[in-house]
């Protein structure tokens, strides 16, 4: 089947061998939080403050050992270069009584050891500004309470130090992504003051003197959240302007926009101005529901914007979904495989020819060509890629076995 596929793509001027070789080198940062419903190790239980999971499928990882075992199993079923994306709430405190503003690299040493054991490409990091008592009135970095605001500033600075440690240990940059749920449920009386406070907080965080060669800082905007429907402090315009003026980057989460706005279109818009663009690839069903990433049109479109613009090093691909209603490992693997599948789909197109048709305004041929790609023997190339990476196409039976042998005991 692969030999036939190779010929079929060659007729379009596409080299499947080159695509397969390039595919495995594109790093995808996989989030640790799919394994435990974003609970973490340092909070009081379920995720709160703008983060919500639904479902109660058995086998949730309850501690570091379980989460590590699940990540190991899931990652063994995901081909290609992988990074691990951690949240500060996954600190391993070993009983030490400290708060998030005092976390140190040593609280993540075991994660580093684990990442090295798995041969991962790097570690990315996120301050955790939710599920915590200091989320006062739902606000963190934009809080009018100076003590609260300062606490979260200290937390972010602590995270930047930990990120430097990750970068040094892994010999790869560490992306630190700042997302806060701050906002108001109903029509606010003042939309400017919280944003000015957020701006001041970010200024104070960035002034801490972190190593820019090691740490890439991103800000993640959002349109609204459950309970904060009327106003989000960290909106798209706010962060894009902040990032542009302060030399940091934007993180685009494709669940964080109005349903008819597309992140695939935002990627090239930002590539025109920024050296790096970070992504949280997710699937929002009617809202930012963080469903498992499927092999759908917008995912393919996102992958195309990365590949055809030669931006596989500029766009930092990360995943962000969490489904507690199905086997969590199957969720992880399905979404991560689909991300790479979409990248392969994009690599298997003759973008030179398609761009030329566009420039020549031959939109008829462009439409027809793009339709033809949809029914080329893509599956055979995907299977060949998995085979060469020593991965079975069937990950479900492996996960069902793990479910019987491990998850069912929890
Ligand atoms: C929330 C944001 C944020 C989180 C993770 C856990 O809407 O997408 O990125 O999902 O940090
Ligand atoms: Zn996100």
């Amino acid at each position: 089947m692969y030999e036939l596929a190779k010929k079929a793509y060659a007729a379009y001027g596409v080299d499947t061998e080159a695509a397969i070789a390039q595919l495995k080198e594109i790093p995808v940062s996989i989030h640790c939080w799919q394994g435990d419903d974003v609970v973490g190790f340092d909070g009081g239980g379920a995720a709160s403050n703008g983060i919500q999971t639904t479902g109660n499928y058995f086998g949730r990882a309850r501690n570091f050992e379980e989460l590590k075992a699940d990540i190991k199993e899931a990652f063994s079923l995901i081909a290609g270069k992988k990074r691990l994306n951690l949240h500060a709430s996954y600190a391993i405190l070993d009983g030490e009584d400290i708060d998030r503003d005092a976390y140190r690299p040593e609280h993540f040493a075991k994660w580093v050891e684990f990442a090295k054991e798995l041969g991962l490409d790097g570690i990315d990091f996120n301050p955790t500004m939710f599920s915590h008592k200091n989320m006062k009135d739902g606000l963190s970095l934009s809080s009018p309470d100076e003590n609260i605001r300062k606490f979260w500033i200290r937390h972010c600075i602590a995270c930047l130090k930990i990120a430097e440690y990750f970068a040094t240990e892994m010999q790869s940059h560490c992306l630190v992504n700042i997302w806060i749920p701050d906002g108001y449920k109903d029509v606010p009386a003042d939309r400017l003051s919280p944003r000015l406070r957020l701006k001041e907080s970010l200024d104070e965080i960035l002034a801490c003197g972190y190593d820019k060669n090691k740490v890439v800082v991103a800000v993640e905007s959002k349109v609204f959240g459950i309970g904060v429907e009327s106003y989000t402090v960290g909106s798209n315009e706010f962060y894009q302007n902040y990032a542009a003026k302060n030399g940091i980057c934007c993180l685009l989460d494709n669940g964080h926009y109005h349903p008819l706005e597309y992140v695939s279109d935002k990627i090239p818009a930002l590539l025109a101005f920024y050296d790096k663009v970070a992504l949280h690839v997710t699937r929002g069903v009617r809202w930012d529901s963080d469903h498992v990433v499927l092999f759908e049109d917008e995912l393919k479109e996102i992958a195309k914007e990365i590949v055809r613009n030669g931006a596989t090093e500029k766009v930092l691909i990360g995943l962000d979904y969490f489904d507690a209603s199905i086997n969590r490992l199957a969720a992880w693997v399905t979404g991560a495989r689909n991300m790479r599948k979409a990248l392969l789909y994009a690599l298997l197109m003759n973008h030179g020819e398609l761009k030329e048709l566009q420039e020549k305004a031959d939109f008829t041929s462009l439409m027809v060509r793009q339709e033809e790609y949809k029914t080329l023997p893509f599956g055979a190339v995907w299977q060949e890629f998995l085979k060469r990476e020593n991965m079975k196409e069937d990950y479900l039976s492996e996960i069902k076995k793990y479910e019987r042998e491990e998850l069912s005991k929890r």
Side-chain angles (χ1 to χ4, degrees):
M1 277 168 70
Y2 174 66
E3 288 310 319
L4 289 174
K6 196 172 164 176
K7 281 199 193 105
Y9 277 102
Y12 282 77
V14 174
D15 179 354
T16 55
E17 287 296 317
I20 289 174
Q22 206 191 332
L23 182 62
K24 65 166 189 263
E25 298 302 329
I26 304 174
V28 175
S29 192
I30 305 176
H31 53 314
C32 73
W33 53 89
Q34 163 58 56
D36 76 332
D37 310 343
V38 213
V39 173
F41 306 148
D42 72 346
S48 60
N49 305 110
I51 300 268
Q52 194 172 312
T53 54
T54 54
N56 192 23
Y57 200 82
F58 67 91
R60 187 184 77 80
R62 295 160 301 181
N63 51 51
F64 179 52
E65 289 309 318
E66 290 180 354
L67 187 56
K68 217 166 58 158
D70 293 357
I71 290 175
K72 196 171 175 176
E73 174 71 13
F75 279 29
S76 77
L77 300 166
I78 301 166
K81 254 192 198 165
K82 290 173 281 293
R83 302 170 61 85
L84 179 62
N85 200 359
L86 295 175
H87 243 283
S89 54
Y90 292 81
I92 301 150
L93 299 174
D94 280 331
E96 201 183 325
D97 186 21
I98 51 165
D99 215 333
R100 287 184 187 165
D101 60 338
Y103 288 179
R104 299 185 303 278
E106 65 204 68
H107 301 118
F108 294 87
K110 287 181 183 158
W111 278 117
V112 167
E113 199 182 301
F114 178 58
K116 286 182 182 171
E117 179 196 321
L118 295 191
L120 301 181
D121 196 48
I123 298 179
D124 296 311
F125 202 42
N126 304 258
T128 311
M129 290 176 273
F130 51 83
S131 313
H132 191 277
K133 61 178 190 319
N134 284 354
M135 293 298 304
K136 194 178 170 194
D137 304 319
L139 303 177
S140 60
L141 292 176
S142 73
S143 174
D145 181 332
E146 269 304 279
N147 288 328
I148 294 293
R149 201 175 69 83
K150 293 281 182 193
F151 172 84
W152 291 114
I153 290 171
R154 287 196 303 277
H155 173 57
C156 289
I157 293 173
C159 287
L160 289 173
K161 296 288 152 202
I162 295 163
E164 281 179 356
Y165 159 73
F166 286 145
T168 308
E169 286 292 324
M170 301 303 293
Q171 293 183 14
S172 173
H173 75 273
C174 174
L175 173 72
V176 171
N177 172 52
I178 298 176
W179 172 74
I180 56 170
D182 301 29
Y184 291 112
K185 181 184 172 90
D186 223 326
V187 188
D190 180 359
R191 290 185 167 91
L192 180 58
S193 300
R195 288 190 173 133
L196 292 177
R197 284 193 294 266
L198 173 56
K199 188 175 165 213
E200 219 176 293
S201 299
L202 293 171
D203 288 348
E204 286 179 51
I205 294 163
L206 298 180
C208 79
Y210 68 98
D211 186 344
K212 291 185 179 157
N213 294 317
K214 293 183 173 170
V215 178
V216 179
V217 177
V219 278
E220 179 183 10
S221 73
K222 188 159 169 167
V223 64
F224 82 96
I226 298 279
V228 287
E229 287 83 359
S230 299
Y231 168 75
T232 296
V233 184
S235 62
N236 182 46
E237 294 75 10
F238 176 87
Y239 279 137
Q240 273 191 22
N241 281 288
Y242 187 88
K245 285 204 165 195
N246 293 278
I248 59 169
C249 78
C250 292
L251 183 143
L252 312 176
D253 179 313
N254 61 312
H256 288 192
Y257 298 89
H258 288 285
L260 288 176
E261 277 185 274
Y262 293 105
V263 160
S264 54
D265 185 61
K266 295 178 191 295
I267 293 169
L270 293 191
L271 282 175
F273 295 96
Y274 290 85
D275 179 45
K276 295 254 180 293
V277 179
L279 298 184
H280 267 182
V281 180
T282 187
R283 181 169 55 104
V285 177
R286 302 188 191 282
W287 70 291
D288 182 30
S289 60
D290 288 299
H291 277 65
V292 175
V293 169
L294 299 181
F295 190 53
E296 293 188 324
D297 286 352
E298 171 59 1
L299 183 70
K300 290 177 205 166
E301 223 44 46
I302 286 172
K304 283 192 230 166
E305 290 301 337
I306 298 169
V307 167
R308 69 188 171 199
N309 295 318
T312 54
E313 280 171 21
K314 287 184 162 194
V315 178
L316 308 176
I317 306 171
L319 305 175
D320 183 15
Y321 50 84
F322 28 96
D323 193 335
S325 75
I326 54 174
N327 181 301
R328 294 173 184 77
L329 282 90
W332 244 327
V333 178
T334 304
R337 281 197 179 199
N338 281 334
M339 182 68 241
R340 205 166 292 274
K341 227 185 255 171
L343 289 165
L344 178 63
Y345 187 85
L347 285 165
L348 292 173
M349 297 179 91
N350 185 342
H351 296 294
E353 187 201 16
L354 296 172
K355 283 182 189 179
E356 210 180 294
L357 292 174
Q358 175 178 321
E359 301 288 276
K360 284 196 310 209
D362 184 354
F363 303 120
T364 310
S365 306
L366 179 59
M367 180 187 75
V368 172
R369 266 281 184 273
Q370 295 196 104
E371 283 306 291
E372 284 169 357
Y373 278 110
K374 294 180 182 174
T375 49
L376 288 187
F378 169 77
V381 186
W382 173 247
Q383 278 170 6
E384 181 68 15
F385 166 71
L386 290 177
K387 199 175 106 193
R388 292 189 195 179
E389 294 299 303
N390 294 316
M391 294 273 160
K392 280 193 227 130
E393 202 187 349
D394 170 27
Y395 56 91
L396 185 60
S397 39
E398 173 63 32
I399 286 173
K400 286 282 181 188
K401 184 166 167 260
Y402 187 80
E403 180 172 290
R404 281 192 304 276
E405 291 171 2
E406 299 294 332
L407 303 179
S408 65
K409 293 184 190 130
R410 293 181 188 166

